[in-house]
């Protein structure tokens, strides 16, 4: 006899699969019994309250107001996540060595492989160590000019919108720009993806894969590999994976051919700057072992996705935020013009000379974190600062959006206020109150690259254009692998007054 909520069912003991699911449910119920949360339906859990209409993230914040620190969310009758939304809880989880949640992240593994985002244990440590030299500041320095060039190409395309004064959708333009940048910087590939006709096939594939991974997580029958494989959505997923993998394989193939031509030891430096892909191909551990072809593609797929899509989300919402905040935009532009002092290009040295613009960037990342959530699984009991304990084998979801909008942490959390990031204000907060790039040992390895790109692109955009809000098309936020808007992100632009 088994109970679901107040429903009672007779379950045959000879069904091992169902018995395992029921045992999983019982474990989850016991584990979260000290964490009250929103009422969950016995079969659907909280899934029916996820409307995908632009209100879901606000709903999670409201649940957080009713249930401080953490609350359980059920995805169907068997899968439960403890949703945490307070810095003190985040510190406990993210400073631990607990691995990524294999349920949710297994759905993305067919796409990006077992790279840094998904891997765990010794493999993760080894790959992190091998990849870290790719983000040394000497490697990152030349990227500033490449990002500047990609941004200029995007801004040139905006001239027609400045002349016509028409509203346009931002995310598509920015996605092409960040893809162009990552290909130039990390892979020395001048793809011309911003100027070729039609919609970029790789970006379309990334959109499709992000949607399908999110759909699979929310649809309990799709948790079965077989059912998902046989479904129309599974067919679409495999088709999009083929496009994404073809793109990365072509990038790797072209580089291997180029390295064969650069026979002398200093050939790389003589012809171009050493980039991320060079470091991947040439990296060796203490046993002089490099990455296998499978691991190489996984890391390229991971960095290709994370290096362009998350940055595109961040930059799109930064420009949107500044369009909605004309006074802050004006102060940023004045600072940028003083820093550039008549120059059209942005240099490495300029990155540290725009503190107000940097604070505005961080404030937008607080309000619109590019990765709105992440999850782990406990391998041993985890006790939080208030004495409540989560048992081993439990899923823990960190709501980055919820932390950044937590009224117990941020005064007037929905108000755009860059002064929150003055040093004296930052020192009063937990370091885990602002976590757009995660935190702890598994923080984002590319966060310096991402921040540099955001600074360069924001600065060059504000130098050239005044950004204007389109009040008729407010973004409807949607949490997928990255933060998006259901109806796009629309602004208008006009030539900036730089006198």
């Amino acid at each position: 006899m088994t109970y679901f909520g107040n429903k009672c069912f007779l379950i045959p003991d000879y069904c091992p699969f169902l018995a395992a699911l029921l045992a999983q449910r019982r474990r989850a119920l016991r584990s979260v019994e000290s964490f009250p949360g929103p009422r969950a339906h016995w079969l659907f859990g909280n899934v029916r309250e996820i409307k995908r209409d632009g209100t879901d993230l606000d709903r999670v914040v409201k649940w957080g107001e009713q249930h401080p620190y953490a609350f359980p969310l059920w995805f169907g009758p068997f899968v439960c996540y403890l949703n945490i939304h307070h810095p003190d809880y985040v510190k406990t989880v993210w400073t631990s060595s607990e691995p990524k949640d294999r349920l949710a992240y297994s759905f993305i593994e067919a796409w990006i492989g077992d790279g840094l985002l998904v891997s765990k244990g010794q493999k993760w440590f080894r790959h992190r160590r091998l990849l870290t030299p790719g983000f040394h500041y000497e490697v990152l320095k030349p990227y500033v000019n490449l990002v500047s060039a990609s941004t200029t190409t995007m801004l040139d395309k905006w001239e027609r919108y400045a002349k016509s004064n028409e509203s346009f959708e931002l995310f598509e333009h920015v996605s092409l720009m960040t893809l162009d940048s990552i290909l130039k910087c990390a892979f020395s590939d001048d793809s011309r993806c911003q100027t070729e006709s039609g919609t970029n096939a790789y970006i379309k594939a990334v959109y499709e894969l992000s949607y399908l991974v999110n759909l699979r997580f929310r649809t309990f029958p799709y948790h079965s590999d077989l059912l998902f494989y046989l479904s129309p959505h599974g067919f679409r997923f495999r088709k999009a994976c083929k496009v994404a993998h073809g793109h990365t394989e072509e990038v790797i193939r072209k580089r291997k051919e180029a390295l064969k031509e650069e026979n002398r030891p200093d050939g790389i430096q003589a012809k171009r700057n050493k980039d991320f892909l060079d470091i991947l191909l040439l990296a060796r551990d203490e046993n002089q072992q490099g990455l296998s072809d499978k691991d190489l593609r996984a890391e390229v797929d991971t960095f290709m996705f994370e290096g362009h899509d998350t940055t595109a989300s961040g930059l799109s919402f930064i420009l949107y935020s500044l369009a909605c905040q004309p006074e802050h935009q004006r102060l940023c532009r004045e600072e940028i013009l003083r820093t550039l002092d008549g120059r059209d290009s942005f240099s490495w040295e300029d990155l540290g000379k725009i503190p107000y613009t940097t604070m505005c960037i961080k404030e937008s990342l607080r309000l619109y974190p590019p990765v709105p959530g992440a999850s782990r699984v406990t391998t041993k009991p985890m006790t939080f600062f208030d004495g409540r304990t989560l048992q081993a084998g439990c899923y823990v979801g960190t709501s980055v959006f919820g932390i950044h909008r937590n009224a117990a942490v941020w005064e007037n959390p929905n108000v755009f206020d860059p002064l929150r990031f003055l040093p004296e204000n930052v020192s009063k907060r937990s370091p885990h109150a602002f976590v757009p790039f995660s935190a702890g040992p598994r923080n984002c390895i590319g966060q310096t690259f991402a921040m540099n790109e955001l600074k360069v692109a924001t600065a060059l955009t504000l130098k050239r254009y005044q950004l204007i809000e389109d009040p008729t098309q407010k973004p409807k936020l949607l949490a997928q692998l990255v933060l998006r808007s259901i109806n796009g992100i629309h602004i208008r632009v006009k030539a900036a007054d730089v006198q």
Side-chain angles (χ1 to χ4, degrees), residues 12 89 109 129 181 196 354 360 408 456:
Y89 265 52
E109 195 169 335
R129 190 168 62 249
S181 291
E196 66 180 18
I354 50 170
C360 287
V456 171

Side-chain angles (χ1 to χ4, degrees), residues 317-333 356 359-361 363-364 366-368 412-420 462 465-470 474 491:
F317 281 108
I318 288 165
L319 299 182
Y320 169 75
S321 296
L322 291 171
C324 297
Q325 303 290 334
E327 180 59 20
H328 293 301
Q329 183 185 159
R330 181 186 66 80
L331 293 172
C332 288
R333 183 176 295 106
Y356 193 83
M359 289 194 294
C360 287
I361 289 171
E363 178 65 348
S364 179
R366 181 188 70 83
L367 288 167
Y368 305 103
N412 299 320
N414 297 320
V415 174
F416 186 92
D417 179 11
L419 299 184
R420 301 178 197 273
L462 294 185
Y465 294 115
Q466 180 182 339
L467 311 178
I468 303 163
E469 178 188 12
D470 180 353
K474 299 277 190 183
I491 64 168

Side-chain angles (χ1 to χ4, degrees), residues 212-232:
L212 291 170
V213 168
N214 187 263
L215 174 72
R216 187 178 181 188
F217 179 75
R218 291 183 292 106
T219 308
F220 175 69
Y222 280 176
H223 290 190
S224 162
D225 290 340
L226 178 62
L227 291 179
F228 184 69
Y229 183 89
L230 295 174
S231 72

Side-chain angles (χ1 to χ4, degrees), residues 26-38:
R26 286 193 293 270
R27 283 196 305 271
L29 285 169
R30 284 197 301 270
S31 186
V32 299
E33 62 185 356
S34 60
F35 297 92

Side-chain angles (χ1 to χ4, degrees), residues 217-270:
F217 179 75
R218 291 183 292 106
T219 308
F220 175 69
Y222 280 176
H223 290 190
S224 162
D225 290 340
L226 178 62
L227 291 179
F228 184 69
Y229 183 89
L230 295 174
S231 72
H233 290 113
F235 174 78
R236 284 169 54 184
F237 183 85
R238 295 191 298 278
K239 183 178 177 182
C241 272
K242 186 176 179 180
V243 173
H245 292 162
H247 179 84
T248 52
E249 285 166 359
E250 177 66 9
V251 168
I252 294 169
R253 183 192 64 77
K254 286 163 65 176
R255 174 53 51 82
K256 285 184 173 179
E257 289 179 357
L259 284 176
K260 286 178 184 176
E261 296 174 5
E262 297 166 356
N263 293 319
R264 53 199 177 87
D266 62 341
I268 295 172
Q269 188 60 42

Side-chain angles (χ1 to χ4, degrees), residues 147-263:
V147 172
S148 295
S150 295
T151 304
T152 299
T153 300
M154 178 183 73
L155 299 178
D156 287 344
K157 292 165 60 182
W158 290 5
E159 283 289 347
R160 67 186 183 95
Y161 299 117
K163 291 174 181 175
S164 67
N165 197 36
E166 66 179 292
S167 174
F168 67 98
E169 204 286 310
L170 195 58
F171 201 103
E172 181 180 347
H173 289 266
V174 174
S175 285
L176 283 170
M177 189 281 287
T178 57
L179 179 60
D180 189 24
S181 291
I182 201 70
L183 287 170
K184 285 177 179 172
C185 295
F187 306 106
S188 299
D189 181 8
D190 188 4
S191 67
R192 297 182 176 84
C193 64
Q194 293 196 78
T195 52
E196 66 180 18
S197 60
T199 304
N200 182 274
Y202 175 74
I203 287 180
K204 283 180 66 177
V206 169
Y207 281 14
E208 176 84 334
L209 290 165
S210 298
Y211 165 74
L212 291 170
V213 168
N214 187 263
L215 174 72
R216 187 178 181 188
F217 179 75
R218 291 183 292 106
T219 308
F220 175 69
Y222 280 176
H223 290 190
S224 162
D225 290 340
L226 178 62
L227 291 179
F228 184 69
Y229 183 89
L230 295 174
S231 72
H233 290 113
F235 174 78
R236 284 169 54 184
F237 183 85
R238 295 191 298 278
K239 183 178 177 182
C241 272
K242 186 176 179 180
V243 173
H245 292 162
H247 179 84
T248 52
E249 285 166 359
E250 177 66 9
V251 168
I252 294 169
R253 183 192 64 77
K254 286 163 65 176
R255 174 53 51 82
K256 285 184 173 179
E257 289 179 357
L259 284 176
K260 286 178 184 176
E261 296 174 5
E262 297 166 356
N263 293 319

